[in-house]
Amino acid sequence: MLEEINHQRRRFMGNTALAVAATQLGFLGSANAQPRNPASSDVSAIKPGTHTSFASIKQIDAGPLNIGYAEDGPADGPAVILLHGWPYDIYSFVDVAPLLASAGYRVIVPYLRGYGTTRFLSSETMRNAQQSAVALDIIALMDALKIQTATVAGFDWGARTADVLAVLWPERCKAIVSVSGYLISSPEGNQVPSPPEPAFLFWYQYYFSTPVGKAGYAKYLDQFNKFIWHQASPKWNFDDATYDRTAASFNNPDHVDIVIHDYRWRLGLADGERKYDDLEKRLAALPAVTVPAITMEGDSNGAAHPPEPVYRTRFAGKYEYRLINGGVGHNLPQEAPQAFAQAVIDVGAL
């Protein structure tokens, strides 16, 4: 089964992917930044999987949440916030954090709402995962930690959140690193039908749209997410211990509700909260990122993602694109921590 999926992924992640990404994002630009596999002249060489724990794990009340987060590096260093996606957690950055800390950065790696030790402060709060709500969690965290500005870097949900922060609150973002580029969207924008083969990569979103899909995700949580890891990173030979460290964060009592709401909201099948309507209206216009940015892609990303030419024009400030070779998949910071840490350092000098 997995071999069949990988075969089909390789077959249609060409012209059809370019077409569907352009359709879903609503624009098509021309790339004038050449992809490169950068030499890591500043970051020490590291073998992925070298670290299995963080320097410290802390908790803090921020907005509607009590957020669990890892912290490393000097307290007075320039702040870097590293954001994970689904179905991953802070351990995607377990090798990145010490690299940045050793370079003098204050590194903050939060569990997003619905993951790990992050909890809602009130049972009455809607378990909402729309893009503006998740981004506001990071603003609240920065306020709680008295961080005025930070470099924000992430992948998957984390890349989307970095993009949202950069366009809605550019005064809080020194720069961003975004794996797979510009991921802001809207329920309305996602109503454009996809051709069948690219739509195949989004199979889980359609599954989550049904009651049986939600029940199935809850029942087969570990098997489901491990399958997604294989689909998204077909050449990443992670071991059970690596997966299990992250899988523990899925035992969060709100995890299933948050994940299901995220994907249903994207497709217009679940409502958000009215208090975020103005922010979502601004995001639906697909505003340009004006802060310095580096976008990245692994050469073996098995998850659906837009090719760089599709989103290039959404980055209006200083910008660079990097293609990371060597069988690197969707979980780029964990699979290629040296390249990811280098991008975080380099984006501040653009």
Side-chain angles (χ1 to χ4, degrees):
M1 178 65 176
L2 188 59
E3 289 78 11
E4 179 182 352
I5 289 174
N6 289 337
H7 172 73
Q8 292 197 37
R9 178 190 62 80
R10 286 189 294 269
R11 185 163 56 89
F12 62 69
M13 284 300 288
N15 293 334
T16 52
L18 180 62
V20 72
T23 301
Q24 290 176 336
L25 290 177
F27 56 88
L28 181 62
S30 60
N32 50 32
Q34 295 301 314
R36 69 185 184 96
N37 202 23
S40 296
S41 57
D42 299 326
V43 174
S44 300
I46 188 171
K47 180 181 178 181
T50 296
H51 298 89
T52 59
S53 62
F54 289 92
S56 64
I57 302 290
K58 303 178 180 180
Q59 299 286 141
I60 193 169
D61 287 350
L65 302 171
N66 178 262
I67 296 179
Y69 65 99
E71 182 167 1
D72 202 350
D76 60 350
V80 173
I81 299 175
L82 306 177
L83 301 176
H84 68 83
W86 172 86
Y88 307 95
D89 78 337
I90 64 174
Y91 282 91
S92 290
F93 303 101
V94 71
D95 287 322
V96 173
L99 290 175
L100 294 174
S102 66
Y105 291 88
R106 181 188 183 189
V107 185
I108 306 295
V109 194
Y111 286 108
L112 298 185
R113 53 171 62 193
Y115 295 81
T117 58
T118 291
R119 297 290 187 274
F120 285 89
L121 295 173
S122 171
S123 61
E124 302 301 315
T125 303
M126 178 181 174
R127 273 38 179 176
N128 179 358
Q130 68 185 106
Q131 59 191 352
S132 56
V134 176
L136 278 168
D137 290 344
I138 307 308
I139 294 294
L141 176 63
M142 293 174 68
D143 290 343
L145 295 174
K146 296 180 170 53
I147 296 173
Q148 182 58 37
T149 62
T151 297
V152 184
F155 73 106
D156 198 86
W157 293 18
R160 178 188 66 178
T161 304
D163 294 336
V164 171
L165 290 168
V167 301
L168 293 183
W169 299 281
E171 72 280 2
R172 306 300 297 270
C173 294
K174 179 180 179 181
I176 66 169
V177 174
S178 178
V179 176
S180 298
Y182 191 95
L183 300 180
I184 296 170
S185 66
S186 68
E188 294 78 12
N190 288 328
Q191 297 310 303
V192 178
S194 301
E197 289 186 336
F200 174 77
L201 289 181
F202 289 110
W203 67 271
Y204 55 88
Q205 296 192 33
Y206 307 126
Y207 182 66
F208 288 162
S209 298
T210 67
V212 72
K214 181 176 181 179
Y217 185 60
K219 182 175 182 179
Y220 298 107
L221 192 61
D222 282 342
Q223 299 98 311
F224 195 104
N225 288 342
K226 184 177 283 189
F227 182 85
I228 294 294
W229 277 32
H230 283 296
Q231 176 182 329
S233 298
K235 296 184 179 180
W236 182 30
N237 295 317
F238 60 88
D239 58 21
D240 287 342
T242 297
Y243 176 78
D244 290 345
R245 276 189 291 274
T246 287
S249 73
F250 307 145
N251 294 324
N252 184 294
D254 301 304
H255 178 75
V256 172
D257 286 340
I258 288 294
V259 170
I260 298 301
H261 183 264
D262 179 275
Y263 291 106
R264 289 183 179 179
W265 177 84
R266 294 188 197 196
L267 294 176
L269 301 175
D271 203 3
E273 293 179 83
R274 298 283 70 77
K275 62 184 178 180
Y276 302 126
D277 282 354
D278 288 344
L279 295 176
E280 293 297 344
K281 183 177 180 180
R282 291 169 60 187
L283 293 173
L286 303 178
V289 173
T290 57
V291 304
I294 291 177
T295 67
M296 309 181 71
E297 195 60 76
D299 64 340
S300 295
N301 186 358
H305 60 279
E308 198 264 353
V310 170
Y311 60 72
R312 172 63 186 92
T313 57
R314 291 306 175 196
F315 291 89
K318 297 178 180 178
Y319 172 79
E320 187 174 313
Y321 167 64
R322 296 182 177 184
L323 177 67
I324 309 303
N325 295 311
V328 176
H330 189 60
N331 186 2
L332 194 152
Q334 196 162 5
E335 298 175 60
Q338 185 178 353
F340 190 86
Q342 188 68 57
V344 172
I345 292 172
D346 291 346
V347 75
L350 286 182

